[in-house]
C-alpha cells in the first residue's frame, strides 16, 4: 500500500509539474510583498512626524500609507481608547489648541465633544461621526490616542473651559504700560523740540547756525510717533476686550451657564449607542 501511495504521489507530481513552481512563486510573492510593506513603513516614518501629527498630515496620507503606519493589531480600542481620547482632548482644550466641551459617557461608552460650531462622537472601535471644526480637531486625536507609542497626558484639568465671567479682558498689560511710557517720552521730547524751535525763531535760544527747520521737523516726528504708539495701545486694549467678549459668548453657547447643548448636537439615545444619562462624566460643573 505504501508503494502504491508513493507511486501515486510521484505520478501526481509528474502530471502537475507546475504545482511546485506555483507554490514557490507564491512564497516569493509573499516575501516580496512583506519587503515592500517594510520599505513603505520606513518611508512613512521618515515623511511624517507622529509626535506632531495633525489634520494636515491626515489629509496628505494615502490609504496605503495609513495601512502600513497603523497596524490593526497594535491599535488601542475600547474603553482605554475613549479614556485616552478624553484626556488628550481636555489637555488640548486647556492649552487653547481646541475649543470644545468634552463629555465622557459610560453607558454605553463613548466620548462626545462639541462647541458652538460642530460636534464629534467617538466610539470604542475608534469610529467617529460629527460635523464642523470639532470633528476636524478630534480625528487626529483618535489616531494618536490609538497608538501605544503616543503618550497621553495623565494629569489633565477636570474643567478645561473657564466660567464665562472669569475670562479676563487682556493679559498684556505690562507691554501696554511700557508702550505708553515710551509714547509719553516721545511726546514730551516732541513738545520740547517744538518749543525750542519757536524760541529759536524768536531769537531767545540758539544762534546763527541753529537749524530751526530741523527742530520743527524732529518735534513733529516725535509727536507723530507718540500718537501712533498711543493708538496701538488703545487698539490692543479694544481688541482684547472684543476677543474676551467673543470668547464669553462662545462659552455661553456651549451651555456653560444653562447646561444645555447646542441645538445641532443630536439627541443621544440608548438604542443606537447614543443615550443621555445624568450619571455620565462631563468636564464642566453644573451639567
Amino acid at each position: 500500500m505504501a508503494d502504491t501511495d508513493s507511486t501515486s504521489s510521484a505520478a501526481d507530481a509528474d502530471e502537475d509539474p507546475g504545482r511546485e513552481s506555483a507554490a514557490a512563486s507564491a512564497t516569493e510573492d509573499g516575501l516580496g510583498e512583506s519587503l515592500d510593506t517594510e520599505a513603505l513603513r520606513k518611508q512613512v516614518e521618515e515623511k511624517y512626524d507622529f509626535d506632531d501629527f495633525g489634520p494636515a498630515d491626515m489629509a496628505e496620507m494615502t490609504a496605503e500609507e495609513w495601512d502600513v503606519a497603523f497596524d490593526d493589531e497594535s491599535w488601542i480600542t475600547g474603553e482605554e481608547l475613549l479614556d485616552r481620547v478624553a484626556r488628550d482632548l481636555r489637555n488640548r482644550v486647556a492649552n487653547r489648541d481646541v475649543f470644545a466641551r468634552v463629555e465622557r459617557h459610560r453607558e454605553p461608552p463613548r466620548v462626545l465633544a462639541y462647541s458652538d460650531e460642530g460636534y464629534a462622537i467617538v466610539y470604542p472601535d475608534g469610529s467617529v461621526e460629527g460635523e464642523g471644526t470639532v470633528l476636524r480637531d478630534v480625528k487626529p486625536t483618535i489616531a494618536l490616542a490609538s497608538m501605544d507609542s503616543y503618550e497621553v497626558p495623565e494629569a489633565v484639568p477636570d474643567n478645561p473651559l473657564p466660567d464665562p465671567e472669569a475670562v479676563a479682558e487682556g493679559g498684556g498689560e505690562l507691554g501696554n504700560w511700557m508702550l505708553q511710557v515710551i509714547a509719553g517720552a516721545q511726546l514730551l521730547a516732541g513738545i520740547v523740540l517744538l518749543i525750542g524751535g519757536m524760541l529759536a525763531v524768536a531769537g531767545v535760544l540758539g544762534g546763527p547756525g541753529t537749524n530751526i527747520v530741523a527742530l520743527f521737523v524732529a518735534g513733529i516726528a516725535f509727536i507723530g510717533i507718540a500718537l501712533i504708539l498711543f493708538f496701538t495701545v488703545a487698539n490692543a486694549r479694544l481688541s482684547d476686550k472684543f476677543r474676551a467678549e467673543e470668547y464669553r459668548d462662545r462659552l455661553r453657547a456651549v451651555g456653560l451657564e444653562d447646561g444645555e447643548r447646542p441645538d445641532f448636537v443630536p439627541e443621544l439615545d440608548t438604542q443606537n449607542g447614543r443615550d443621555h444619562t445624568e450619571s455620565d462624566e462631563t468636564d464642566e460643573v453644573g451639567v
Side-chain angles (χ1 to χ4, degrees), residues 249-263:
D249 291 340
R250 296 192 69 187
L251 291 172
R252 296 186 186 103
V254 297
L256 283 182
E257 293 185 338
D258 57 16
E260 296 293 332
R261 297 174 181 145
D263 294 336

Side-chain angles (χ1 to χ4, degrees), residues 61 64 147 177 179 190 197 199 213 220 222 230 252 270 276 283:
M61 254 191 173
E64 292 78 10
M147 300 168 59
W177 279 110
L179 282 178
L199 292 176
V213 175
I220 294 173
F222 273 89
F230 279 127
R252 296 186 186 103
T270 304
H276 177 61
D283 65 348

Side-chain angles (χ1 to χ4, degrees), residues 75-89 104 106 109-111 122-128 138-148 150 152:
W75 285 6
I76 297 174
T77 58
E79 294 275 1
E80 183 180 0
L81 173 62
L82 295 181
D83 290 338
R84 287 167 61 86
V85 168
R87 291 202 308 271
D88 196 61
L89 280 177
R104 172 66 169 97
R106 298 289 178 181
R110 77 267 194 247
V111 172
V122 185
Y123 299 101
D125 61 356
S127 60
V128 60
V138 167
K139 281 184 176 181
T141 296
I142 299 172
L144 291 173
S146 65
M147 300 168 59
D148 185 61
Y150 178 70
V152 176

Side-chain angles (χ1 to χ4, degrees), residues 46-60:
E46 294 175 357
K47 182 177 179 181
Y48 300 98
D49 181 9
F50 289 100
D51 291 332
D52 188 22
F53 193 76
D57 298 313
M58 291 186 66
E60 184 181 351

Side-chain angles (χ1 to χ4, degrees), residues 209-230:
T210 303
N211 192 337
I212 299 176
V213 175
L215 290 175
F216 280 107
V217 171
I220 294 173
F222 273 89
I223 292 175
I225 293 173
L227 293 177
I228 291 174
L229 292 176
F230 279 127

Side-chain angles (χ1 to χ4, degrees), residues 108-124:
R110 77 267 194 247
V111 172
L112 171 64
Y114 59 91
S115 71
D116 56 333
E117 297 178 351
Y119 74 95
I121 304 175
V122 185
Y123 299 101

Side-chain angles (χ1 to χ4, degrees), residues 173-257:
E173 281 303 309
L174 178 60
N176 289 335
W177 279 110
M178 291 181 63
L179 282 178
Q180 289 182 84
V181 171
I182 295 173
Q186 296 277 348
L187 180 62
L188 182 60
I191 292 174
V192 170
L193 288 172
L194 289 179
I195 293 175
M198 288 186 289
L199 292 176
V201 171
V204 177
L205 294 177
T210 303
N211 192 337
I212 299 176
V213 175
L215 290 175
F216 280 107
V217 171
I220 294 173
F222 273 89
I223 292 175
I225 293 173
L227 293 177
I228 291 174
L229 292 176
F230 279 127
F231 176 79
T232 301
V233 172
N235 183 65
R237 286 181 169 174
L238 191 61
S239 298
D240 287 342
K241 183 177 181 180
F242 282 139
R243 281 196 296 267
E245 187 59 34
E246 181 182 9
Y247 189 51
R248 293 191 194 100
D249 291 340
R250 296 192 69 187
L251 291 172
R252 296 186 186 103
V254 297
L256 283 182
E257 293 185 338

